[in-house]
Amino acid sequence: MAETEPRTVVDAREESCPGPITDLAKAYRRSKVGDVIELWATDPGVKADVRAWAAKTQNEVVSIEDQADKVVAVLKIHRR
Amino acid sequence: MKRVLIIGGGSGATFLANTLDRRQFETTVVSASVLHMFQPGLLYIAFKNAPAGITRAERRLLPRHVHFVQQDVTHVNLREHRVRTQAGMELTYDEVVLATGVQTAAARIPGLEEVNAQFGDYHSTIEQAQKVWRHLAEVRGGTIVIGQGAAICKCPPSPLEGVLLAEEFLRERGLKSRTKLVYFTPYPRPYAAEGINDIVAPILQARGIEVRTFFDLDRVDTANRTIYSIEGEQIPYDLALIVPPFIGAPITYEPAEVLDEDRLIITDKFSLRVKGVESAFAIGDATNLPTSKAGVGAHLEAKVVAQALAAKPARFDGRTHCPMDLAYGKGTFVIGSYAAPTVKYAPSRLNHWMKAAMARVYWISLRGWLDPLFDVYFRLTAPEKLAARKAHRLRPAA
């Protein structure tokens, strides 16, 4: 992935109800085609949500990684 | 004596003013309105034609020693501790608490302002909620679309409560077979938090409510009576009751960096101090805290700020405890915290009764008189405790 791609980091760690998907939806609303969204979360359910979201919106999950203190999901926006 | 200025006249502001020790603080509440509204009441005006008596005079909810100033704050200089109002009044403080709430922002979505003006909404005024009821009462068939117009929603259970109460109404009127009810949400499931979704998803299915997930509202075409999502889907409607986006109050801050792009105040989620400035706290809907925008949150946050102002240890744990009406006399609670995921809390008539009771005890609760009871109740229903109890029940017998 080229370093020049605009990347938005969305920090949704330790979020309570309604949770990280709120922040992803907000970031998506502001995004445009070609943007990269990096979502940080501590809620383990976020992995399934991110995959389902990407499938529905026809955007790409570049990676979902378990780190020591968080889950990091990288998404590339193909459709807006 | 420390001068505390509380900006706002909602539940967090009012409760805090009632809580602060008069021997330690000279407290002033400044609010644009002389009236205080019990905001959850709008849901019942909209879907049950409940009486409109959900307001009281703010002055009468405050102790006599608290100064009440009815002024519309327009500028807050957090560096110089100065506040200016629309009428040109200037107020100063030692500590400020920003409890300025949120307001609806239908104009952010093309066509939504027109739809909300036509059919009403149940998140702004009594008149708008009454408009919802008038349109609902006129329904004879067709498609009713109810949903959440943006990711951030004041009172997160309220969009679902709306569709569930609408379904109850249609069934009671014998209109169910002639009406299609569609619920849309930007989330991956009907309720974002899984614990509560496990409760409501089967209910929606059983009641024949069509659910459209990942429907992030992009625009409303009022001429063709159709709503469109960013994801490229569309839903035609005859009646559309759409919860609009919410943004913070139109106040200019110095420094401007204390606001995010939705004009929400950037607040430390544990200390509730406004990020980057001294002697300023924020509570309730006005903050960008990653938790539900709801009265109970404002109340619990006000308690934390009262402790902090009194130089006692204070830390907000992100607790939510929102009642949710599931219609037909049943309810549940959305219970969670920063550390504990939302609990699957079984629906019951008792939960519904408690929500109804809150409408009656709300005014007393603002005075702080019920807090010893609330403290015990919240301890007993802590999400960690409920989850542990449930795990214990589910453990197979040896």
Side-chain angles (χ1 to χ4, degrees), chain B residues 196-217:
Chain B
I196 287 299
N197 188 66
D198 290 348
I199 304 266
V200 296
I203 291 175
L204 291 162
Q205 196 178 11
R207 295 184 193 169
I209 298 166
E210 184 182 321
V211 176
R212 303 283 288 270
T213 55
F214 292 119
F215 193 99
D216 212 332
L217 186 65

Side-chain angles (χ1 to χ4, degrees), chain B residues 301-362:
Chain B
E301 290 156 27
K303 278 173 89 94
V304 171
V305 170
Q307 290 283 105
L309 287 169
K312 290 178 185 163
R315 188 177 192 271
F316 182 54
D317 63 0
R319 177 71 186 268
T320 54
H321 198 103
C322 306
M324 181 172 186
D325 197 322
L326 299 170
Y328 301 101
K330 287 202 172 181
T332 184
F333 280 91
V334 181
I335 301 171
S337 69
Y338 293 145
T342 304
V343 180
K344 184 175 177 177
Y345 200 68
S348 70
R349 293 198 177 274
L350 176 66
N351 294 338
H352 185 269
W353 177 85
M354 285 169 78
K355 175 163 182 165
M358 193 59 209
R360 295 183 185 274
V361 302
Y362 174 74

Side-chain angles (χ1 to χ4, degrees), chain A residues 29-51:
Chain A
R29 183 175 283 279
R30 295 191 190 100
S31 70
K32 51 189 186 304
V33 171
D35 284 1
V36 172
I37 297 173
E38 184 175 317
L39 179 70
W40 300 354
T42 42
D43 176 358
V46 77
K47 293 185 206 169
D49 282 354
V50 162
R51 289 199 183 94

Side-chain angles (χ1 to χ4, degrees), chain A residues 16 29-30 49 79-80, chain B residues 189 216-217 230-231 261:
Chain A
S16 56
R29 183 175 283 279
R30 295 191 190 100
D49 282 354
R79 201 154 171 272
R80 271 294 279 112
Chain B
R189 48 192 161 264
D216 212 332
L217 186 65
I230 294 176
E231 292 82 5
E261 65 279 6

Side-chain angles (χ1 to χ4, degrees), chain A residues 11-19 21-26 28-30 42-46 48-59 79-80, chain B residues 109 149-152 156 186-189 191-194 213-214 216-218 230-233 260-262 269-270 290-292 318 320 334 337-338 342:
Chain A
D11 187 353
R13 288 173 296 175
E14 288 194 356
E15 292 211 344
S16 56
C17 169
I21 207 72
T22 310
D23 294 314
L24 179 58
K26 272 179 71 179
Y28 181 50
R29 183 175 283 279
R30 295 191 190 100
T42 42
D43 176 358
V46 77
D49 282 354
V50 162
R51 289 199 183 94
W53 178 86
K56 175 80 178 185
T57 57
Q58 296 172 34
N59 289 299
R79 201 154 171 272
R80 271 294 279 112
Chain B
I109 295 175
I152 291 183
Y187 300 142
R189 48 192 161 264
Y191 196 81
E194 278 180 306
T213 55
F214 292 119
D216 212 332
L217 186 65
D218 185 46
I230 294 176
E231 292 82 5
E233 296 194 339
D260 74 4
E261 65 279 6
D262 294 316
K269 67 183 188 182
F270 298 119
T291 182
S292 299
T320 54
V334 181
S337 69
Y338 293 145
T342 304

Side-chain angles (χ1 to χ4, degrees), chain B residues 129-320:
Chain B
Q130 287 171 328
K131 200 183 282 179
V132 169
W133 171 257
R134 283 200 300 276
H135 282 278
L136 199 60
E138 283 169 12
V139 167
R140 297 291 173 265
T143 301
I144 303 176
V145 173
I146 299 180
Q148 182 173 335
I152 291 183
C153 180
K154 184 185 179 83
C155 185
S158 61
L160 270 170
E161 289 181 302
V163 78
L164 292 170
L165 291 175
E167 192 275 338
E168 183 186 21
F169 169 79
L170 294 170
R171 191 177 292 264
E172 279 173 356
R173 290 275 175 113
L175 293 163
K176 196 64 198 299
S177 59
R178 277 182 277 161
T179 321
K180 182 176 164 187
L181 256 181
V182 184
Y183 178 74
F184 75 89
T185 171
Y187 300 142
R189 48 192 161 264
Y191 196 81
E194 278 180 306
I196 287 299
N197 188 66
D198 290 348
I199 304 266
V200 296
I203 291 175
L204 291 162
Q205 196 178 11
R207 295 184 193 169
I209 298 166
E210 184 182 321
V211 176
R212 303 283 288 270
T213 55
F214 292 119
F215 193 99
D216 212 332
L217 186 65
D218 185 46
R219 65 186 195 281
V220 184
D221 181 343
T222 48
N224 292 310
R225 293 191 164 222
T226 304
I227 64 171
Y228 295 86
S229 72
I230 294 176
E231 292 82 5
E233 296 194 339
Q234 59 187 71
I235 313 171
Y237 66 83
D238 294 296
L239 172 62
L241 304 174
I242 300 173
V243 180
F246 294 90
I247 55 171
I251 294 173
T252 305
Y253 283 92
E254 174 59 39
E257 294 75 40
V258 299
L259 295 185
D260 74 4
E261 65 279 6
D262 294 316
R263 288 211 315 246
L264 300 176
I265 300 157
I266 301 171
T267 309
D268 182 89
K269 67 183 188 182
F270 298 119
S271 70
L272 305 180
R273 289 182 180 275
V274 179
K275 281 272 173 80
V277 291
E278 298 287 321
S279 307
F281 295 87
I283 57 171
D285 294 353
T287 71
N288 74 330
L289 296 181
T291 182
S292 299
K293 296 202 176 300
V296 68
H299 187 99
L300 294 172
E301 290 156 27
K303 278 173 89 94
V304 171
V305 170
Q307 290 283 105
L309 287 169
K312 290 178 185 163
R315 188 177 192 271
F316 182 54
D317 63 0
R319 177 71 186 268
T320 54

